[in-house]
């Protein structure tokens, strides 16, 4: 596993909370109050799911967010090989102690770590247990995506989550207290301004439909979902016997069938899901969706991008109606290719599969990253020195994985760093030195300001040194826009490699699921450009002279 990145504010607060209260959390599994009994019931349900899987002795299990190790202990008693991980060093100390008498040598590993930061071993586990974890995570979808990646296909995930529709949340007194808290927080922020501090840490509730949809989108097949525990209700929480009696009453009503609606209104949910292939179309167990339906769904989900493409074609009718041609990477063997990425990750999102094929064909690929990407939400809470370097470190790692010949890191600031004339001179020098046959750049009508800025820089550099790119083609790739594609590259055989490259951009993948966005886009382009199932990267390709002519048009015409 990779070493953890610098800890964000939320992670630090969660770690400190569980470090401070480690023994309290352990004692909850022995106490008799209702909240403790709900936690104990949660563990019982988790272990029922484990028993039902019939895992062989020695099967590898990841207990992520293992806490005091009480679940790890139960898993070890089943003869399973357990990797127990928690962000809290104090919790890991307790887990090690609690498992000491049931763990034969080599059967358990204890790790201080964080699922959002660690690149878990791909396909290494038969089962992942995430109990009482995801509600504390800054990027919960990303964590679940990494759990999926750590499972073998056919392996299982058991995850628990607080239920947003829990019956206890309908307690009128609870609703009144929550409303008061929200009002007080707003007033405090207004009076304190920038000095206002956030909570010690945040956690969240989950709508069960949303949780199931998120798991399904990541490649899980949800097999079972069970909610449990009715309470504690705010109004009567000080009266333990009454609280327990109310919990038993609602539980009995649900089990008897007299109140079936209660099945989805327990305080916590335990979900069992099976890992299917992450991407559709590459494995018979997850086939391609219906082409026409996928095309309609994609255009419905990205109406603004479709509308912008159609408007661009209305303004540029000479580019309408061309039949897209296949780009032959083999014809660029021995040549130099330049890909310009406004931010580290754009080059893989837009043309990663094509670049892999060009490298395999013998082309020398140079990746130029214009900015440091430090304005991203994925790095916003990291220390400044890390925030301004971490995405460029990822870019170096990705370039090595992809086999790029050279990586250039300008490290300029987003939005403001691409406005000075030095950028034009620097790019002109690169063009003069490389004399590339292909230049990849975001499509010139992409709405992102940095994507437009690199197009402006490229156009001005080409005007200054036209002799450096004789016969070169400029290929506009798609990130935040749909291009009127006249070229495409079939990348179905490289989609898994592209997925791995995207995973290496961890801070950005935490914010947005580019893996499945790219899969949807490339399947859409395959249907639109080739009429077949598959994955293709589409481009708007023109010669350098035509590119310059388009770039000289007023911005309104380019948009």
């Amino acid at each position: 596993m990779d070493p953890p990145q610098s800890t964000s504010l939320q992670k630090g607060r969660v770690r400190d909370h569980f470090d401070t209260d480690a023994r309290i959390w352990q004692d909850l599994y022995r106490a008799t109050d209702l909240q403790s009994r709900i936690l104990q019931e949660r563990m019982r349900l988790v272990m029922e799911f484990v028993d039902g899987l019939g895992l062989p002795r020695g099967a590898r299990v990841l207990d992520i967010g293992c806490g005091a190790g009480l679940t790890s202990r139960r898993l070890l008693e089943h003869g399973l090989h357990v990797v127990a991980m928690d962000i809290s060093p104090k919790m890991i100390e307790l887990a090690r102690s609690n498992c000491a008498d049931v763990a034969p040598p080599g059967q358990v590993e204890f790790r201080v770590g964080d699922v959002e930061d660690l690149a878990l071993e791909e396909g290494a586990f038969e089962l992942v247990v995430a109990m009482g974890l995801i509600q504390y995570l800054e990027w919960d979808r990303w964590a679940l995506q990494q759990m999926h990646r750590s499972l073998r296909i056919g392996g299982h995930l058991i995850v628990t989550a607080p239920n947003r529709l829990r019956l206890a949340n309908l307690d009128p007194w609870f609703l009144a207290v929550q409303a008061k808290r929200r009002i007080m927080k707003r007033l405090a922020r207004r009076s304190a301004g920038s000095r206002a501090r956030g909570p010690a840490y945040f956690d969240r509730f989950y709508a069960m439909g949303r949780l199931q949809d998120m798991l399904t989108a990541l490649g899980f097949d949800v097999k079972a979902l069970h909610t449990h525990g009715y309470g504690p209700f705010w109004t009567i929480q000080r009266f333990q016997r009454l609280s327990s009696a109310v919990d038993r009453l609602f539980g009995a009503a649900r089990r008897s069938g007299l109140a079936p609606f209660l099945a989805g209104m327990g305080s916590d949910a335990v979900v069992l899901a099976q890992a299917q292939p992450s991407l559709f179309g590459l494995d018979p167990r997850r086939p391609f969706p219906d082409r026409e339906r996928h095309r309609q769904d994609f255009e419905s989900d990205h109406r603004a991008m479709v509308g912008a493409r159609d408007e661009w074609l209305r303004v540029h009718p000479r580019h309408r109606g061309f039949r897209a041609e296949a780009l032959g990477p083999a014809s660029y063997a021995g040549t130099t290719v330049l890909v310009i990425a406004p931010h580290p990750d754009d080059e893989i999102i837009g043309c990663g599969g094509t670049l892999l094929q060009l490298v395999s064909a013998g082309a020398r690929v140079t990746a130029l990253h214009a900015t440091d990407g430090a304005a991203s939400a994925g790095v916003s809470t990291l220390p400044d020195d890390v925030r301004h370097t971490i995405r460029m470190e990822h870019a170096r790692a990705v370039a090595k994985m992809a086999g790029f010949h050279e990586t250039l890191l300008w490290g300029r600031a987003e939005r403001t760093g691409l406005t000075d004339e030095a950028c034009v001179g620097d790019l002109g020098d690169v063009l003069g030195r490389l004399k590339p046959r292909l230049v990849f750049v975001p499509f010139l009508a992409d709405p992102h300001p940095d994507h437009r800025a690199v197009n402006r820089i490229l156009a001005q550099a080409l005007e200054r040194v036209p002799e450096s790119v004789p016969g070169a083609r400029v290929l506009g790739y798609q990130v935040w826009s749909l291009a009127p594609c006249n070229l495409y590259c079939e990348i179905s055989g490289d989609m898994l490699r592209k997925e791995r490259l995207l995973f290496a951009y961890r801070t950005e993948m935490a914010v947005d699921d580019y893996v499945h966005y790219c899969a949807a886009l490339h399947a859409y382009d395959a249907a639109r450009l080739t009429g077949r199932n598959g994955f293709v990267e589409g481009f708007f390709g023109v010669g350098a002279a035509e590119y310059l002519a388009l770039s000289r048009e007023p911005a309104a015409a380019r948009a």
Side-chain angles (χ1 to χ4, degrees):
M1 292 189 179
D2 294 344
Q5 300 170 5
S6 295
T7 303
S8 72
L9 193 60
Q10 165 70 3
K11 293 172 188 175
R13 287 170 171 173
V14 170
R15 180 198 59 209
D16 293 346
H17 167 72
F18 284 100
D19 269 350
T20 302
D21 296 336
R23 290 203 172 273
I24 294 175
W25 279 95
Q26 174 178 263
D27 293 343
L28 288 174
Y29 285 89
R30 303 189 182 100
T32 58
D33 62 280
L34 178 57
Q35 185 60 57
S36 298
R37 287 178 53 242
I38 290 174
L39 292 177
Q40 294 157 24
E41 174 74 357
R42 182 178 71 182
M43 181 183 288
R44 184 187 68 78
L45 291 169
V46 166
M47 293 311 300
E48 279 187 3
F49 279 150
V50 173
D51 291 340
L53 295 177
L55 296 175
R57 295 182 67 84
R60 282 173 59 82
V61 178
L62 174 65
D63 185 9
I64 184 75
C66 66
L70 302 180
T71 305
S72 295
R73 180 184 176 90
R74 299 283 297 276
L75 295 168
L76 287 165
E77 290 171 346
H78 280 59
L80 303 173
H81 181 106
V82 177
V83 176
M85 183 187 300
D86 201 282
I87 197 172
S88 162
K90 294 291 187 183
M91 284 295 197
I92 288 295
E93 287 179 17
L94 280 176
R96 198 184 301 274
S97 174
N98 285 326
C99 295
D101 62 329
V102 294
Q107 191 175 330
V108 62
E109 305 168 45
F110 296 99
R111 304 182 186 180
V112 176
D114 168 23
V115 68
E116 292 179 276
D117 281 347
L118 293 177
L120 299 168
E121 298 97 327
E122 186 175 348
F125 297 99
E126 295 285 337
L127 171 66
V128 172
V129 177
M131 195 169 77
L133 171 70
I134 63 171
Q135 63 265 34
Y136 298 109
L137 299 178
E138 195 165 5
W139 308 109
D140 53 346
R141 185 271 311 158
W142 170 233
L144 290 167
Q145 197 162 9
Q146 294 214 76
M147 294 178 207
H148 181 281
R149 193 162 181 77
S150 73
L151 283 165
R152 70 165 183 85
I153 302 302
H156 289 83
L157 167 71
I158 300 174
V159 60
T160 72
N163 184 12
R164 181 179 295 280
L165 196 60
R166 59 173 60 180
L167 195 62
N169 282 359
L170 302 181
D171 183 332
W173 186 249
F174 171 81
L175 294 173
V177 170
Q178 291 297 103
K180 179 182 177 182
R181 285 179 175 174
R182 284 194 292 270
I183 292 170
M184 295 302 293
K185 284 180 182 178
R186 289 177 183 174
L187 292 174
R189 282 197 296 268
R190 287 181 182 178
S191 62
S194 61
R195 299 189 306 277
R197 296 187 61 188
Y201 61 89
F202 68 75
D203 55 7
R204 58 170 74 83
F205 293 96
Y206 287 84
M208 291 300 102
R210 175 186 173 274
L211 179 59
Q212 291 184 79
D213 288 346
M214 180 162 56
L215 290 168
T216 300
L218 295 176
F220 285 105
D221 181 11
V222 176
K223 297 295 187 181
L225 187 154
H226 185 90
T227 72
H228 66 98
Y230 297 95
F233 290 87
W234 189 281
T235 307
I236 59 173
Q237 64 178 338
R238 289 185 297 173
F239 307 100
Q240 287 299 322
R241 289 186 179 179
L242 179 58
S243 293
S244 296
V246 169
D247 173 58
R248 288 194 296 271
L249 175 65
F250 283 122
R254 185 197 70 193
R255 289 189 295 273
S256 68
L258 294 176
F261 65 90
L262 290 173
M265 300 189 73
S267 291
D268 277 358
V270 182
V271 182
L272 173 67
Q274 187 174 37
Q276 302 300 316
S278 169
L279 300 175
F280 57 70
L282 301 180
D283 187 296
R285 288 169 288 188
R286 193 177 182 190
F288 278 105
D290 177 79
R291 276 199 306 277
E292 186 56 31
R293 177 62 183 272
H294 178 73
R295 178 172 175 165
Q296 293 173 4
D297 288 346
F298 186 88
E299 291 185 345
S300 175
D301 292 341
H302 301 88
R303 292 186 188 90
M305 293 166 65
V306 172
R309 180 191 65 197
D310 292 346
E311 175 61 18
W312 192 91
L313 284 170
R314 186 190 66 79
V315 176
H316 303 87
R318 67 184 182 278
H319 294 288
R320 184 187 296 275
F322 285 101
R323 183 179 179 84
E325 299 178 356
L327 177 73
S331 62
Y332 293 94
T335 67
T336 298
V337 173
L338 173 64
V339 55
I340 302 172
H343 317 96
D345 73 3
D346 288 327
E347 81 287 6
I348 303 303
I349 295 169
C351 51
T354 304
L355 296 175
L356 288 170
Q357 292 196 20
L358 286 165
V359 169
S360 296
R364 297 181 299 275
V365 174
T366 293
L368 189 160
H369 298 273
T371 72
D372 60 12
S376 163
V379 299
S380 61
T381 61
L382 297 178
D384 279 350
D385 58 333
V386 177
R387 188 165 58 86
H388 287 283
T389 58
I390 191 166
R391 291 187 67 184
M392 292 190 291
E393 291 173 5
H394 291 166
R396 289 192 187 96
V398 166
K400 184 176 181 180
M401 292 169 62
F404 294 166
H405 179 72
E406 182 182 19
T407 304
L408 304 175
L409 302 169
W410 281 359
R412 294 180 177 270
E414 295 181 62
R415 306 296 175 104
T416 59
L418 299 177
T419 57
D420 62 71
E421 289 303 306
C423 295
V424 178
D426 290 345
L427 184 54
D429 292 342
V430 171
L431 292 172
R433 175 171 62 85
L434 296 179
K435 295 182 171 51
R437 283 278 307 282
L438 292 176
V439 178
F440 290 88
V441 68
F443 177 54
L444 49 78
D446 189 301
H448 194 292
D450 290 337
H451 294 203
R452 296 204 169 196
V454 296
N455 273 282
R456 176 188 59 79
I457 293 166
L458 174 60
Q460 292 181 16
L462 288 172
E463 285 183 326
R464 292 187 184 183
V465 286
E467 71 283 353
S468 65
V469 285
R473 299 179 84 181
V474 179
L475 273 60
Y477 60 80
Q478 303 172 112
V479 181
W480 299 117
S481 65
L482 293 179
C485 300
N486 55 15
L487 284 173
Y488 69 87
C489 184
E490 166 65 51
I491 64 162
S492 297
D494 289 292
M495 270 302 293
L496 290 178
R497 292 180 67 198
K498 174 163 179 164
E499 181 185 36
R500 293 188 184 100
L501 296 179
L502 287 170
F503 260 83
Y505 279 119
R506 298 199 301 272
T507 55
E508 297 318 291
M509 277 292 297
V511 181
D512 290 298
D513 183 4
Y514 289 117
V515 165
H516 293 100
Y517 168 72
C518 286
L521 171 62
H522 301 335
Y524 168 75
D525 277 341
R528 189 169 61 93
L529 301 177
T530 73
R532 301 189 302 270
N533 285 332
F535 296 107
V536 307
E537 289 173 341
F539 307 99
F540 177 70
V542 292
E546 174 72 0
Y547 175 80
L548 280 172
L550 288 168
S551 68
R552 293 188 187 107
E553 294 179 351
R558 293 198 304 271

